[in-house]
Structures are given as C-alpha cells and as structure tokens.
Amino acid sequence: MRRHIISVLMENEPGALSRVVGLFAQRNYNIESLNVAPTDDPTLSRLTLTTIGADDKIEQITKQLNKLIDVVKLVDLSEGSHIERELMFLKVKVSGAQRAEIKRTTDIFRGQIVDVTSSTYVIQLTGDSDKLDAFIQAVAPVSILEVVRTGVSGIARGEKVLSL
Amino acid sequence: MELLSGAEMVIRSLADEGVEYIYGYPGGALLHVYDALFRQDRVTHILVRHEQAATHMADGYARASGKPGVALVTSGPGATNTITGIATAYMDSIPMVVISGQVPSDFIGTDMFQETDMVGISRPIVKHSFLVKRAEDIPMTIKKAFHIAQSGRPGPVVVDIPKDITNPSDKFEYAYPKKIKLRSYNPPLKGHSGQIRKALDLLMQAKRPVIYSGGGVILGQASDVLTELAQKLNAPVTNTLMGLGGYPGSDRQFLGMLGMHGSYAANLAMHHADVILAVGARFDDRVTNGVAKFCPTAKIVHIDIDPASISKNIRADVPIVGPVKAVLNEMLGAIKDGKREVDKEAVNGWWKQIDEWRSSKGTFPYDPGDGGIIKPQAVIESLYEVTKGDAFVTSDVGQHQMFAAQYYKFDKPNRWINSGGLGTMGFGFPAAMGVKLHYPDHDVACVTGEGSIQMNIQELSTCLQYDLPIKIITLNNQALGMVRQWQDMQYDSRYSHSYMDSLPDFKRLVEAYGHVGMTVEKPDDLKSAMEEAFALKDRLVFLDVKVDPNEHVYPMQIKDGSMRDMWLSKTERT
C-alpha cells in the first residue's frame, strides 16, 4: 500500500470530470485528493489525483482510467522522480503574544500571512502534503477557524513530460 | 449542400451509417424525430411495447449480425426503461447505440415534465455518452457513437438529444462524415510480437495445454482462426458461456463449457493444465470459482483487446493486448513456418487422461427418469435434434439457460445469444425478435422459463404487428428454478419466494395475442410437439413445456473451491 499521484490529460469537455470521479466510486477505488484545471491548450484539462493502494489495484485504476474515451494520456508520477505541491489557506484566531508567535512559525515554514484583522490571520502555505500537515500541528495551540487545501499537484522532474 | 433539420439529420445519419432497423417508442421529446422518420423509407422502425425490449432487440440483432443495434427512446421514463438493456449490452461488450430524446436545452435542470439526466444515469454502464449541444453536431456525434460502439472492446453508447435541437424549422448543411479519428481513443490493431513469441514458446512446450475461449472470440470474428490454431496444437478447447460456438461444439477437441456449470472434463482439464491460453475471456467468477485455488500449476497466456481485463482477477504470465483475430493469426503464421513443434507425446498422454475423465462422467449426464415427467434436459436435446443444431437460440436467465448451454451443441459463432454478464431475465424473447429480423429465413428459438418470459411478455404484441414467427420454448417448472436450486443446496430447501403462484394459462394467453400456443406435459409428446412447432414456419409458436420441478443443473462447482470441486448430482461430489 503506497500513495500514488496519478496525473491525467483529458478532453476539456463537460462531464469528463464526472466520468473520472464516477469511475472511482463505481469500482470502489479511493480518492485522497483531486484537482483539475485547463492547461495552456484550452481543449485539454489536467487532473491530478492521489490515491492509496497496492500495486495491482493501482494498475487496475490506471487501466480503467485509460479506457475512458475522454482520457487522452496519463502518468503515475510517483513511479519516477517528481515534484509535488499543495496550496493551503489557514485562518486562525490570534491575539496578544500569539500574533508574533504565529508570524514566526509561518516564517519558519516559509508561509505568508496574506490577510490580517485585529483578531485573525489568513496564512498561505505551499509545499508537499506532509509539510502542510506539519504546519497544522505546529500552530495547533491557537484556534484554527478554517483550513482550505487544494489537493496535490505534481510534475515529473527533468525531460519527462505529459503532453500530446 | 443539402439543408436538413436536426430531426432529419438524426434519421439520415442512421441511414448513412447503414442502419436497417431501429427499435423504439415515441414520446414528446422525440416527436420531431419521429416525424422525420415518417417522411423517409431507408430506416425501418420497429415499435416495441416497452423500451427495455427495444434495447434487448437491438442487442439480439447485434449479437447475431455483428453490426451495432440501435434503439430510439424518448426522455425521462423512455430513457430510464433502457437502463437494464444498456447494462446487459455493456457487461457482454455488445455494440449498441441508444438515442434518447431530452427536454429542450433551456429547460435542462428544471425538473421539467419527463426530464432525467440520461447521460448521468447511464454513465457507469456505457462505453461513452454524448449530450448533443447543437444541431450541426448531430452527424459527427452519431458517427463518433458508432465508431466507439463497434471498435476496440465494443459496448453501448448513448446519444442524448434535446428537443429544441431537432426543431424542424431550423435547417443546417448536412454531410455525413466518412471517417473519424479521436485523439484520445486508439484501440490496438495488433498484438505485441515479442509477447506473442513468448506465448508460442510456452504453448509449444506445454504438456497439458487448455484453450479457454470466451465471448471475445465471437465478437472479434476469430472463431475460424481459433479453430485452426487449436487443431494445429491438438489442444483441448473449452468455451465460456459467452464463447459457445466460438469452437465447434460437436468437435472431438471440445470439452464442453467450463465453470460453475461446466463439464467435469473441462473443469478438471483447467485445474490440471500447465499452460492455459485464455482468448477473449475475462476470468469471470462464474468461471474461476475460488480465485486463490484457481489452476495452481498453470502458466497463463491471456489475449484480450481490453488491457483492463488482463490481470484483473487472475494474473497473466504472458499478457497480450490486441484484437484476438490478429493475434491468433500471427500465432498461426509462426506455427506454420514449422520452426516450433508441439510436444506430441506429452499432449497425447494428456488426451488419454482427458478422455478418461470424459468417459467416466460423460459430458453432461442426467437421469432420464421413468418417462412419467419431462426432464428439462430432454427438451433441449429435442430442440437440438429437430433444428439439426442450426437454429439461433436465445435464452433468458436461470436453469433453462444452463440446460440450453449444456445440451445444445453450437457449431457456429453468433448462434447462442444470452445475457451472460448481467444475467438479465426478460432478455431472451426480445433478443430473439432482433435476431429474426436479421435472419428471417432461419429458425430462431427462445429458450425461457415461466419466470423469465413474464418479464417482457408484452412483446408478443410486437411479434404480431411485424410478423416475427419465432419459437418460444418455456421450460415450465413452476418455480424460479435456479433460485430454488440454490435454496435446496444452501438454504435447506426453504423456498423463500421462489415459486410462481398463479401462473397464466400460457397457451390461451398466447392465443389472445394472435399466436399459436401449445402445452406439452408428457415425455412421449415432446418430440412431435417440437416438430409441429418448427413446421409452422410462418407462425409464432409458444411451447409451454411442463418439466420436472425437482431437477437441478449439474455439474455445479462447490462455492470457493477450485475448478475441480463440483457436485455431480444431488448425492455425488468430486
């Protein structure tokens, strides 16, 4: 059982996303995180999803995804060297000495405070999922009002590309 | 260029695609299309009595002819009534195009009268689906639908068309595209030569080879080349339920069907094989029995056009993705060049073992009884005799289906038509109608049960309207036979809702619909009744045969066992 990042190029058509998500539900596969957006080619979307499973299950997932007519190409990024990032917004309730403390912790994690009120911060943080998890733990003593995460996006290192 | 409305384009595109028959039912969202249908004579419409039957007719037609079947239904209930038929075609990889009407574009999502999200509802059971957005897109969309439905691993495709797009007053230039290319869809045209060589090396060294062939051989029109290859290898052949007819059923090398109700010899040969050549078959649970105990000594070569079917249930040692016909042809070519030789001595020894299994237990033995009551197996044997093995036989689902598969020897592909994957009761009768339309001069028999036939019996009316003289043979045991068999074997004969109370007098019912009804109760009358039914060439005959309600289908694999673990009768097990 290992975490995999599957990156999919698919037709930018209505309903294409529902076919991918439906496939996971229908075949009892798990989606840990998912993000999707158009690419530089407006006819193509890129979808990245993370899932956990044994090798044979991941093999089935990629095969079944490939069968979808809207799926043009896909790659399991976790099979090779790759870069992955996730963006998170964290809204915290902060007052008094906590304000400086949270600012310091955010700096250590190389995050930014992107909104400030007299009682709240909104912190923006980018990194792999473990780093975001670690940051949530680090600021746990303060009251976290809201957490928004985008899900993982990824790209292969070096010459290897996922394109037409 | 010619100007056509969206509605006219729907029908013209079907005609230009070469569609002869569409099976359908009109309704509000489709009325423009039905009007266009009225004003042409290239496509023949068959008015069914229920949309489920339209899809089964299209399906039966597709299975017999090898061409895609087409259904035309209105929005909402018309569309939802096709779901069972679409799922049936999907599970058995049958090429089908279902055109459904939809409420006008502006009203989609408003819960308008007779609105349903057909694309959404059908999504898990189609190969692909389209919601047409502009009338100009209709010819290209229909072309794509047919291309997707019949290429690669075939399957059903839905085309949902909002009513405003078929408006007769809006005209557009019409040209039906000749060719189609989809950048995201490129089914393989041949297998990997390196893998094919590896497979041949295994097969040529095999001491106990078995060929396990499925519905893919029939869909891929590979029956002749499979037969030639099997004979060159002198390997025993077993077919799945869907693969019957893919290899001549009366040939010496044929062991009978395998799996849950497979023959003793076929299941034992599979269990003891050292090399299994799986062709267009997908290791369904009705074949493998307990996966962990499946064929412990076998290396598996698996040929399939769908990569996802390979190593899904059983891991293949040599996977070959490609059309079965092209792959088998390449194998055959390599064998004919004579560089490789089969291990003749070992294979002869293997046949000695197999023939011993065959002679000790027979292929599908049964107790003929004392002549007081008709045995269901005897009905199929009689059907085989009277039709000389040359009929198209459709079936529903249950004991009668298994008896038909066991006792009718199919020597040709496309002759055995049944719902193998989904197991749809109500399939056999409308499927037979679809077959009869394509082959009006052939005998078409629907083997059914008194439970199954009542799931689409209304189509007797359609048969009268279009003069479809098929033969319906009901193995009437006054019980849901297969359910009852399982209740006997696994639930101490507690027959929870498995008997059919208040059965109609089928003879009179059929006569009320304008056809010929016959009831057969005595073994001595069986043969003559069967002969009489088939002699009435221009009439639909419904033969209600009262059979032994206590008969079970044997062999029956023992749950979670290996291939060789079977009940051979109520008292004998392996």
Side-chain angles (χ1 to χ4, degrees), chain B residues 94-340:
Chain B
I94 303 304
M96 181 189 291
V97 174
V98 175
I99 296 175
S100 53
Q102 183 53 276
V103 300
S105 310
D106 289 351
F107 290 88
I108 291 177
T110 65
D111 301 327
M112 195 192 191
F113 176 65
Q114 293 195 330
E115 178 185 355
T116 53
D117 171 13
M118 181 55 177
V119 167
I121 285 178
S122 63
R123 196 193 61 229
I125 48 164
V126 293
K127 187 169 171 191
H128 196 57
S129 52
F130 296 94
L131 173 63
V132 181
K133 293 283 170 60
R134 308 181 312 157
E136 303 94 294
D137 296 341
I138 287 172
M140 183 57 90
T141 307
I142 289 180
K143 184 79 198 172
K144 280 183 188 169
F146 277 88
H147 173 63
I148 292 168
Q150 58 193 322
S151 56
R153 179 178 181 172
V157 177
V158 162
V159 181
D160 200 31
I161 309 179
K163 186 171 186 182
D164 53 315
I165 284 167
T166 60
N167 190 339
S169 52
D170 299 336
K171 305 267 185 181
F172 303 89
E173 285 187 351
Y174 171 83
Y176 195 64
K178 285 198 176 61
K179 272 183 142 175
I180 195 91
K181 209 173 150 33
L182 296 166
R183 66 177 171 182
S184 55
Y185 175 68
N186 296 293
L189 300 174
K190 62 190 291 287
H192 188 279
S193 292
Q195 291 293 94
I196 292 175
R197 263 199 310 278
K198 263 196 227 168
L200 273 174
D201 289 342
L202 265 182
L203 279 168
M204 290 302 183
Q205 290 156 16
K207 309 216 176 298
R208 300 183 308 280
V210 175
I211 295 176
Y212 148 52
S213 93
V217 169
I218 290 166
L219 288 163
Q221 294 166 356
S223 159
D224 287 350
V225 52
L226 175 83
T227 304
E228 199 181 340
L229 181 75
Q231 287 169 356
K232 278 262 179 309
L233 294 171
N234 190 25
V237 182
T238 175
N239 289 337
T240 68
L241 178 70
M242 293 305 299
L244 293 174
Y247 186 87
S250 56
D251 187 82
R252 177 193 69 90
Q253 276 173 246
F254 185 61
L255 306 184
M257 177 172 78
L258 83 168
M260 182 178 274
H261 295 297
S263 77
Y264 178 77
N267 285 346
L268 259 77
M270 284 290 285
H271 183 83
H272 292 283
D274 68 344
V275 178
I276 291 172
L277 175 62
V279 193
R282 62 189 171 92
F283 296 89
D284 183 270
D285 61 283
R286 286 321 199 233
V287 160
T288 58
N289 207 6
V291 167
K293 297 173 188 163
F294 179 76
C295 301
T297 52
K299 290 258 185 232
I300 291 168
V301 178
H302 191 177
I303 308 170
D304 206 293
I305 194 149
D306 174 13
S309 282
I310 297 178
S311 298
K312 181 173 60 183
N313 303 332
I314 300 288
R315 184 142 287 273
D317 296 286
V318 184
I320 304 173
V321 179
V324 289
K325 191 172 185 175
V327 174
L328 292 177
N329 262 325
E330 196 170 330
M331 281 187 166
L332 198 58
I335 291 178
K336 279 181 178 162
D337 76 13
K339 286 182 196 133
R340 295 179 175 84

Side-chain angles (χ1 to χ4, degrees), chain B residues 350-497:
Chain B
W350 179 224
W351 270 114
K352 232 175 114 184
Q353 170 68 72
I354 288 171
D355 286 336
E356 200 181 299
W357 287 329
R358 275 205 282 212
S359 60
S360 69
K361 303 291 176 195
T363 305
F364 293 110
Y366 72 92
D367 176 2
D370 59 6
I373 190 158
I374 299 174
K375 294 285 179 174
Q377 298 93 330
V379 183
I380 307 298
E381 286 176 334
S382 168
L383 172 68
Y384 180 71
E385 227 174 282
V386 168
T387 59
K388 301 182 180 66
D390 202 34
F392 288 85
V393 179
T394 75
S395 88
D396 274 298
V397 172
Q399 284 186 324
H400 66 268
Q401 174 191 31
M402 291 302 136
F403 288 135
Q406 290 178 335
Y407 295 94
Y408 201 98
K409 295 191 236 350
F410 294 93
D411 280 340
K412 293 178 193 159
N414 308 94
R415 291 285 163 110
W416 164 239
I417 287 157
N418 86 113
S419 166
L422 195 67
T424 308
M425 291 171 72
F427 171 83
F429 175 31
M433 295 162 67
V435 177
K436 189 69 183 172
L437 278 163
H438 188 73
Y439 291 108
D441 300 329
H442 282 74
D443 285 332
V444 179
C446 167
V447 175
T448 183
E450 79 294 330
S452 285
I453 191 65
Q454 290 190 85
M455 285 208 176
N456 267 320
I457 200 161
Q458 74 287 345
E459 299 306 319
L460 284 168
S461 171
T462 309
C463 283
L464 187 71
Q465 181 173 353
Y466 298 100
D467 189 18
L468 298 172
I470 59 175
K471 312 300 169 205
I472 300 169
I473 296 142
T474 303
L475 306 189
N476 186 344
N477 57 6
Q478 297 165 60
L480 304 179
M482 194 57 93
V483 171
R484 187 184 157 107
Q485 175 167 345
W486 283 46
Q487 288 172 336
D488 273 333
M489 296 173 83
Q490 292 172 25
Y491 300 89
D492 292 331
S493 299
R494 290 186 297 278
Y495 300 131
S496 182
H497 301 271

Side-chain angles (χ1 to χ4, degrees), chain A residues 22-30 57:
Chain A
L23 173 72
F24 274 74
Q26 175 190 347
R27 295 198 180 262
N28 202 17
Y29 305 146
N30 180 42
K57 189 146 189 179

